[in-house]
Amino acid sequence: MPPAAATNLGYTPPDGGWGWAIVVGAFISIGFSYAFPKSLTIYFKDIQEYFAVSYSEIAWVSSVMLASMYAAGPVSSILVNRYGSRPVVMVGGVMVSTGMVLASFGTAIIHLYLCIGVIGGFGLAFNLQPALTIIGTYFQVKRPLANGLAMTGSPVVLFTLAPLNQFLLDSFGWRGSFLILGGIVLNCCVAGSLMRPVNKKALKKTEKTEPPECNGGAAEEAATVDTITQSDNLTEENQKESKSQGCVNRFIDISLFKHRGFLIYLIGNVVMFFGFFAPVVFLAPCAKHKGIDEYSAAFLLSIFALADMFIRPTTGFIGNTKWIRPRIQYFFSFAVSYNGVCHLLFPLASEYTGLVVYAVFFGFAFGMLSALLFEVLMDLVGAHRFSSAVGLVTIIECGPVLLGPPLSGALVDIFGDYKYMYYACGVFMLVPGIFFFIMHYFNYRRLDKERGQIVAVDVRTCEEAVELKTNPDDKAAHDTDE
Amino acid sequence: MLASWKQLIFQILLLLISCRHINTTSPDPTPPPLVPIDSLPRDVRRAAFKGEGQIEKVELLNPVNLELVCTWTGHQNKESNITGFWRKDGLEIENSHLTVQLQNEQYQLQQVFNIVSEENLGNYSCVFESEVKIDFVVAVPQIGEIRDKPVVTYVGDSGVITCKMEDSKPMPNTWKWYKANGTDKEEIFAAAEPQRYEIKNNERKTKLLVNNLTMADSGLYYCGAVYTLSTSMGHVELKVITYYEPLKPFMAIVAEVFILVTAILLFERSRSKKNDTEGDMMSDQTNTLSPGENNGLEGSSSMRQRKT
């Protein structure tokens, strides 16, 4: 099996400076991408009455938007590979804005499907991928922290949009609200303008002529850098090889499917996403089913969101520590398993305090997983191939994300009780968690072995190079030494 | 024969007395109901006094003979006889004074009321010793889920207002819609203006569609759930605004986005110009110095640079 892809970016990421402005931009983009479809549900009752359709027909708007957002992943990746993050995010912002403005003039439900669902969904995809990608280009050492901070955008924007949407609905009705939301979402263009492409030339000047390190001390340093990146420093020849691959790979990196780490991630995620969103969707209905009143049930969701908001930057910070960072895949496996355990224990909660405790723990679990979700992918495939990787992952995850809640709903309808659905979701999360633990144990072992081999190869080639240099250029060497 | 005649006369007298009874309490006299009073079903509602301000709700759909039974345990010093009477909507009902005797440590006051039309509905209070004990609110089922926020629509668009009677309450016979006109209510007849109004009734739900809205259509709309006895009202406010209302915040936000984007891009351009001029000066220096901070191989890298 070939060693992991090169993360030798060819420059040193700034790990700060303008990078923090990038984090703010990514915060806004990611926030809108995830929170926007969820926050639109407030308008559904009024739109349902206006168009005289059933609730499931109107709920399709959210589903189409989410589906388009995931399905447009590869398109977004191709564009980012070609043009960089900034133009794609700005185009994405304009697209969502246009979709919402057109929807505000819609006269049939199909207009909403097309404008909000398809155009809006594509626009959000053009926001999500580039935001994640650009963090990888600006951060290396502090990347988990940057990712954690950027992913906090999702709960924060949702928390802000929910009351704002209610206010807009009361003041302007659904049409006016869509128009104004079209304006608000245009702020993604502001986020895009912050996403200045990293100045590789300025950072490359410091390492212009970098051949493989030959000094013993330098080799050790390289080894520690490797443990951080979890991939290998390929020699220049290997780099040239990987670049001269087929035409398709210029657009999107299909060779990722041969990548061991990527496959582990993909298989685990596909199973996990079946049970990921359903517990959130059914938290309030389940609480009402247990006899809790509507306001307390809504309050549970707020508790969940607050716990989520708090844990994401914390997880990023923890993931960045020197104990966790080299083995961050285990941290991710832990987060997935913790989610599973949380859901399996949920049926034990019967009164309101039990539900509150569950909401807090679930909020922590959900936030932990979300904060690490893309960081571990970056860790596995490297920032270079991350853009293509995330595109492929999102389009394959599209299926479980869309099927998860309806399947869970079907479980609830068949058994008439929510606990079987929570058991199922718990299993769907615990099994991938354990899978990740086992597979990454083996993966880390293989990577350590491969790294050991490559360092040995490097040392050998360096010694040979030093020999070559000292033999024919003896005189020049003597000159420089003196 | 004589006994049956006496019975008939007695019944007619009773009829006249009860008719007069009803007539004295209503403000505008209406002709007595044609339904013979004895053939009405009897509905008995009992209540025992628990505390001050006690209200009992009595939901009626059809005309009944309503018997209200009011029970009170009395004060500390229980007298054997006290007076009790009934009030309707705060006004004393004539000829309702009764002497109540203490039985089983309780005083019990009961009365049969003929509820046949809307005037008979109201607040019936049983009074012991000039103190009101229990209020019986006799009414048709009220619409519980009333939308308190206005429905906002736009000029030229169509508006939809809905009213719903809860599943726990009895179904109305039909629904009617009214538009508020000052303090009056005007009934909306959909048949008269089919292009403008459309009413869709569905047992528990009713929907009013108003097409081609104008500013004048703003205001309160009342939906009435029609029962045999009376109609219970709910109201919804319709607000009609022009497209300029949301357009103003929208333009403000677009302007803000435009300003921010321009500011950020200009800032970046000025930064890059400064960097370019500095960079040219810097690059000369860096070529002579060894930039080997990362490698710590100052000697070897400078050696290589000279080679290349």
Side-chain angles (χ1 to χ4, degrees):
Chain A
M1 268 235 175
T7 51
N8 195 358
L9 299 160
Y11 67 97
T12 321
D15 267 305
W18 190 252
W20 298 117
I22 298 287
V23 169
V24 170
F27 182 95
I28 297 172
S29 280
I30 293 173
F32 275 113
S33 299
Y34 281 119
F36 203 70
K38 290 183 211 163
S39 66
L40 287 180
T41 51
I42 291 179
Y43 298 107
F44 283 174
K45 190 154 180 278
D46 274 32
I47 300 176
Q48 188 189 339
E49 278 177 14
Y50 182 85
F51 286 118
V53 292
S54 65
Y55 187 77
S56 60
E57 279 179 292
I58 195 75
W60 267 100
V61 172
S62 248
S63 305
V64 172
M65 193 176 206
L66 210 59
S68 307
M69 191 171 99
Y70 275 79
V75 178
S76 186
S77 299
I78 294 171
L79 290 173
V80 170
N81 284 342
R82 203 63 200 278
Y83 300 109
S85 292
R86 177 184 268 170
V88 181
V89 173
M90 295 187 85
V91 167
V94 170
M95 275 178 83
V96 189
S97 178
T98 318
M100 292 306 288
V101 170
L102 286 175
S104 78
F105 293 106
T107 51
I109 193 95
I110 191 119
H111 294 165
L112 294 186
Y113 291 152
L114 286 172
C115 297
I116 303 181
V118 177
I119 302 178
F122 267 70
L124 290 180
F126 289 173
N127 265 289
L128 181 64
Q129 251 83 303
L132 295 166
T133 311
I134 202 164
I135 293 177
T137 62
Y138 265 85
F139 287 90
Q140 179 80 300
V141 177
K142 294 201 186 128
R143 204 177 56 201
L145 180 63
N147 263 313
L149 284 171
M151 293 298 280
T152 317
S154 173
V156 168
V157 171
L158 184 61
F159 208 69
T160 323
L161 275 184
L164 180 69
N165 277 354
Q166 187 63 49
F167 168 74
L168 287 175
L169 178 64
D170 295 336
S171 315
F172 299 107
W174 67 269
R175 285 190 191 272
S177 303
F178 280 0
L179 186 68
I180 295 177
L181 278 175
I184 290 174
V185 91
L186 208 56
N187 279 298
C188 288
C189 291
V190 176
S193 66
L194 283 170
M195 292 182 189
R196 187 196 302 170
V198 68
N199 197 348
K200 295 187 186 170
K201 289 183 222 155
L203 297 162
K204 245 186 184 158
K205 276 185 199 162
T206 59
E207 319 172 12
K208 216 174 191 165
T209 58
E210 192 196 339
E213 296 87 9
C214 286
N215 205 341
E220 267 176 32
E221 231 180 64
T224 50
V225 168
D226 285 335
T227 52
I228 290 172
T229 60
Q230 211 241 343
S231 318
D232 305 315
N233 271 328
L234 295 180
T235 58
E236 283 178 18
E237 294 102 46
N238 281 2
Q239 274 186 328
K240 280 181 195 160
E241 255 181 46
S242 58
K243 276 182 186 159
S244 66
Q245 280 167 30
C247 202
V248 186
N249 280 350
R250 275 202 290 123
F251 293 110
I252 198 161
D253 200 349
I254 302 280
S255 71
L256 277 166
F257 284 110
K258 290 191 217 142
H259 190 291
R260 199 170 52 233
F262 179 75
L263 285 173
I264 298 172
Y265 181 85
L266 191 63
I267 294 169
N269 268 33
V270 165
V271 178
M272 181 183 84
F273 268 88
F274 274 108
F276 191 45
F277 287 115
V280 189
V281 171
F282 286 105
L283 183 61
C286 182
K288 280 186 230 169
H289 182 81
K290 291 194 184 213
I292 316 275
D293 64 282
E294 210 172 300
Y295 288 108
S296 306
F299 189 58
L300 277 178
L301 278 175
S302 308
I303 297 173
F304 167 80
L306 280 171
D308 188 7
M309 223 185 282
F310 166 72
I311 203 70
R312 287 193 195 205
T314 317
T315 309
F317 181 74
I318 295 173
N320 226 133
T321 54
K322 64 173 193 276
W323 303 288
I324 305 278
R325 184 83 195 272
R327 295 288 184 250
I328 203 166
Q329 302 296 334
Y330 290 141
F331 193 33
F332 180 65
S333 320
F334 166 72
V336 178
S337 319
Y338 171 37
N339 260 290
V341 168
C342 230
H343 297 323
L344 286 173
L345 291 177
F346 171 72
L348 294 174
S350 47
E351 303 127 17
Y352 191 60
T353 24
L355 287 174
V356 169
V357 169
Y358 169 77
V360 170
F361 278 110
F362 180 36
F364 284 158
F366 193 83
M368 234 195 270
L369 206 160
S370 304
L372 293 171
L373 192 63
F374 293 109
E375 169 57 30
V376 294
L377 184 60
M378 263 187 233
D379 190 59
L380 283 167
V381 304
H384 217 63
R385 299 166 87 179
F386 176 75
S387 170
S388 315
V390 78
L392 292 170
V393 158
T394 48
I395 195 170
I396 295 173
E397 278 170 5
C398 192
V401 163
L402 283 178
L403 290 175
L407 279 179
S408 310
L411 267 176
V412 173
D413 289 334
I414 292 172
F415 289 104
D417 194 354
Y418 282 89
K419 68 174 183 198
Y420 295 106
M421 181 209 96
Y422 276 92
Y423 285 144
C425 289
V427 166
F428 268 116
M429 302 223 64
L430 193 58
V431 167
I434 297 173
F435 170 77
F436 279 135
F437 265 121
I438 299 171
M439 295 309 289
H440 281 301
Y441 173 70
F442 288 121
N443 194 30
Y444 273 127
R445 274 207 354 209
R446 286 291 283 275
L447 281 169
D448 288 338
K449 231 189 284 177
E450 285 159 8
R451 199 172 302 127
Q453 287 172 357
I454 287 194
V455 168
V457 166
D458 275 348
V459 169
R460 255 185 290 132
T461 50
C462 282
E463 287 170 357
E464 286 166 13
V466 167
E467 277 180 34
L468 284 170
K469 281 172 191 147
T470 49
N471 285 340
D473 308 274
D474 250 345
K475 280 186 185 174
H478 282 308
D479 286 340
T480 50
D481 280 343
E482 287 155 18
Chain B
M1 253 299 255
L2 199 63
S4 62
W5 272 108
K6 274 193 190 161
Q7 222 177 16
L8 189 65
I9 293 167
F10 180 72
Q11 277 181 357
I12 292 170
L13 276 172
L14 204 67
L15 187 79
L16 289 169
I17 289 168
S18 34
C19 278
R20 218 189 303 152
H21 201 155
I22 291 168
N23 281 341
T24 48
T25 54
S26 56
D28 38 272
T30 47
L34 298 168
V35 176
I37 300 226
D38 283 343
S39 68
L40 286 178
R42 176 168 282 225
D43 197 347
V44 183
R45 301 292 170 112
R46 295 169 199 279
F49 180 67
K50 297 189 194 89
E52 289 297 321
Q54 184 175 346
I55 296 176
E56 296 286 326
K57 284 195 186 152
V58 180
E59 257 180 24
L60 298 176
L61 310 172
N62 300 310
V64 287
N65 276 331
L66 182 68
E67 181 176 338
L68 296 174
V69 180
C70 197
T71 317
W72 181 46
T73 47
H75 287 310
Q76 291 282 24
N77 44 338
K78 290 187 183 165
E79 297 149 6
S80 57
N81 287 334
I82 58 167
T83 49
F85 60 94
W86 290 90
R87 282 201 189 134
K88 182 181 183 292
D89 297 326
L91 295 169
E92 205 176 296
I93 301 173
E94 282 183 22
N95 304 330
S96 65
H97 276 260
L98 284 174
T99 317
V100 182
Q101 284 180 330
L102 186 66
Q103 276 180 332
N104 301 331
E105 306 280 313
Q106 284 176 335
Y107 298 104
Q108 195 170 3
L109 189 65
Q110 62 195 68
Q111 184 80 16
V112 180
F113 299 97
N114 302 115
I115 313 292
V116 289
S117 67
E118 202 169 337
E119 296 92 26
N120 304 131
L121 297 172
N123 193 346
Y124 289 88
S125 321
C126 68
V127 187
F128 286 103
E129 304 262 299
S130 314
E131 256 181 61
V132 174
K133 294 299 171 205
I134 304 176
D135 288 315
F136 290 90
V137 178
V138 181
V140 286
Q142 299 297 308
I143 300 174
E145 293 167 17
I146 296 182
R147 191 198 166 111
D148 49 352
K149 306 234 179 82
V151 175
V152 182
T153 45
Y154 291 87
V155 175
D157 199 7
S158 56
V160 176
I161 316 173
T162 53
C163 265
K164 191 181 158 206
M165 180 59 77
E166 294 101 43
D167 293 332
S168 56
K169 296 195 180 158
M171 258 166 28
N173 303 337
T174 182
W175 290 90
K176 283 190 186 168
W177 281 93
Y178 304 85
K179 186 177 185 321
N181 195 353
T183 45
D184 279 333
K185 296 190 195 80
E186 244 179 59
E187 190 174 345
I188 298 174
F189 294 103
E193 298 168 90
Q195 297 101 325
R196 287 267 293 160
Y197 296 107
E198 210 182 308
I199 299 180
K200 287 185 190 157
N201 291 334
N202 185 6
E203 291 186 349
R204 290 191 181 280
K205 277 193 229 177
T206 182
K207 210 190 284 192
L208 174 70
L209 268 103
V210 189
N211 296 318
N212 251 331
L213 285 164
T214 58
M215 297 295 281
D217 288 319
S218 301
L220 271 178
Y221 285 78
Y222 292 90
C223 58
V226 179
Y227 294 96
T228 324
L229 270 178
S230 177
T231 307
S232 91
M233 296 286 203
H235 61 268
V236 184
E237 194 191 333
L238 185 70
K239 216 165 105 172
V240 184
I241 53 179
T242 56
Y243 269 111
Y244 293 112
E245 299 266 331
L247 201 64
K248 285 181 265 180
F250 174 72
M251 297 310 288
I253 298 172
V254 170
E256 167 250 324
V257 167
F258 191 68
I259 292 170
L260 280 175
V261 170
T262 325
I264 292 170
L265 291 175
L266 282 176
F267 172 71
E268 190 179 311
R269 189 168 296 176
S270 67
R271 273 280 294 276
S272 71
K273 277 196 192 144
K274 229 199 296 178
N275 278 346
D276 281 344
T277 50
E278 275 179 29
D280 289 335
M281 292 191 297
M282 286 288 286
S283 58
D284 298 328
Q285 293 178 3
T286 50
N287 273 335
T288 52
L289 288 172
S290 60
E293 297 144 358
N294 295 326
N295 303 341
L297 305 165
E298 281 188 37
S300 44
S301 59
S302 60
M303 179 175 78
R304 288 197 192 93
Q305 277 187 347
R306 283 199 197 143
K307 290 274 174 194
T308 53

